[in-house]
Every structure is written in C-alpha cells, then in structure tokens.
Amino acid sequence: MGTITNRVQKLHDTEIIKGFQLELDYQKLGYNIECIIELNAKESIDNILEQYHDNIIAAHKTTGQYDVILITRFKDT
C-alpha cells in the first residue's frame, strides 16, 4: 500500500489530482426532496445564498432568462 500512497501523493503534489470529493447520501440524512430552482434575484444573489445555505447543494450564476440556478435538497415533512 505504500507504493499506491506515494503515487497518489506525488500526483497530488504536482496538482494532477486537484482534490478529493466527499459524496453524501442525502436520503440517509433525511433530505429526500431534490429541487432545481431557477430564479431572478431582486436582491443580491449572495444574500439569497446566505439565507438558504443549509438547503443549497450548488448554485450557478447564469446569463439569459434566469440570474441563478440552485440545486437544493429538503427534508420530507
């Protein structure tokens, strides 16, 4: 296993591996509802992200019809 660890470390050090990603099982956490929300922001997008940060998985600022697209998760009530 030392050889594998050394190779991965070398790839990380040379920035070929840019990082490691954590994948959550949202259903086990009780977040069974996934929503994609497209919205036009009348206020700062940063304020919206701050207000709803517990439910936002990803936020993408866009051009065109909508200002931002949010990928969200909510608990089933």
Side-chain angles (χ1 to χ4, degrees):
M1 187 146 107
T3 303
I4 295 170
T5 303
N6 291 338
R7 180 68 178 143
V8 170
Q9 186 62 49
K10 186 181 287 186
L11 291 169
H12 188 263
D13 291 346
T14 57
E15 296 182 358
I16 292 172
I17 295 176
K18 294 184 176 187
F20 300 92
Q21 184 174 337
L22 177 69
E23 185 176 345
L24 297 175
D25 186 334
Y26 290 103
Q27 290 189 349
K28 286 184 180 178
L29 294 170
Y31 289 86
N32 297 319
I33 301 170
E34 180 177 35
C35 298
I36 298 171
I37 301 170
E38 301 170 319
L39 58 92
N40 290 314
K42 293 183 180 180
E43 59 181 275
S44 167
I45 293 171
D46 293 331
N47 289 342
I48 294 168
L49 298 178
E50 185 178 319
Q51 185 175 357
Y52 296 102
H53 71 275
D54 289 342
N55 297 95
I56 297 172
I57 306 304
H60 303 278
K61 293 181 181 179
T62 63
T63 59
Q65 186 174 358
Y66 300 102
D67 296 325
V68 64
I69 296 173
L70 303 175
I71 310 298
T72 61
R73 285 279 186 166
F74 295 92
K75 289 190 173 189
D76 195 1
T77 56

